[in-house]
Amino acid sequence: MNIAASPGRPGSPASAPDDAIIDASAVDYTVQVAGKPMRILRGVSLRVEAAQVAAIIGPSGSGKTSLLMLLAGLERASAGRIVVGGTDITGLDEDAMAVFRRNTLGIVFQSFHLIPSLSALDNVGLALEIARPDLDLAAVRKEAAATLEAVGLGGRLDHRPGALSGGEQQRVGLARALVTKPRLLLADEPTGNLDQKTGAAVADLMFDLARRNGTAMVLITHDPALAARADRVFTMMQGELAETPREKK
Ligand SMILES: Nc1ncnc2c1ncn2[C@@H]1O[C@H](COP(=O)(O)OP(=O)(O)OP(=O)(O)O)[C@@H](O)[C@H]1O
């Protein structure tokens, strides 16, 4: 199935190849812990071009997930500027932020966050329905089924998450994140809960679908093999982000 051939994204003109999908500069993130400020991100700058894959590695607690939450507009930067898909999200109110997320992003977490009472088809369909209120139910179901088929779950459409394996649930999560053909996929250890073989299969699907749709990815991972597949690798250390030079192949 060619996902790129099915319904496109509304209101999002194709971006030039050298367009930045993420342009974050001098971002600080400080939280209050027991009444004291704790500076989690320190002057983080990150630029990712359209359709590029960036991996973020680094020790536990260094601030990787915090950065992803800021890029997704799920937390607010304390200082600095974050532009995603041409929108400066630092100044958006909650409603505008919800619209931004709906139109621009797909998000995959380590734990799958599927809705337990809904079938695989409805979990994926719901995401598309919310993002594309212009589509009728038949179109939503058709596209959701096609996306599940693309991740190898064409035979599991009516299964609820509880009746799926971990790898299958993560593939539903991936289908849900990609069914809207987002310009940017943010993934937080998407294979972290899976065994090596299943994780590698999910990673293959993620790269394959993202490349087919021209989706850029920011990928947090502890898995060196996954990071090695990215176009660029960044390391987070105590709240500071630096690009890691790649070894020449
Ligand atoms: N809202 C918050 N309140 C207090 N501390 C926080 C908050 N959010 C994050 N932290 C702390 O900030 C640090 C960075 O957390 P973060 O989850 O971003 O790290 P990480 O690099 O993703 O770690 P891991 O690889 O273990 O997932 C941690 O010490 C965490 O406890």
Side-chain angles (χ1 to χ4, degrees), residues 112 114 118-121 123 148 153 155-170 172:
F112 321 118
L114 300 175
L118 296 184
S119 68
L121 185 68
N123 262 285
L148 280 164
L153 291 178
R156 297 284 187 279
L157 300 186
D158 296 324
H159 282 53
R160 290 185 183 173
L164 295 169
S165 72
E168 288 171 341
Q169 288 184 57
Q170 190 56 303
V172 176

Side-chain angles (χ1 to χ4, degrees), residues 29 31 33 38 40 58-67 189 222:
Y29 180 50
V31 297
V33 179
M38 179 182 167
I40 295 174
S60 180
S62 56
K64 304 181 297 295
T65 297
S66 301
L67 176 59
E189 294 186 45
H222 287 285

Side-chain angles (χ1 to χ4, degrees), residues 45-106:
S45 294
L46 172 67
R47 193 181 151 93
V48 177
E49 308 299 328
Q52 223 176 31
V53 179
I56 300 181
I57 58 175
S60 180
S62 56
K64 304 181 297 295
T65 297
S66 301
L67 176 59
L68 212 70
M69 298 294 272
L70 297 185
L71 295 175
L74 294 167
E75 297 289 348
R76 300 277 179 168
S78 314
R81 186 162 174 265
I82 301 178
V83 179
V84 179
T87 302
D88 182 348
I89 64 168
T90 26
L92 294 184
D93 64 26
E94 287 305 322
D95 287 349
M97 193 70 98
V99 171
F100 151 76
R101 272 197 296 269
R102 212 157 54 211
N103 290 339
T104 313
L105 292 186

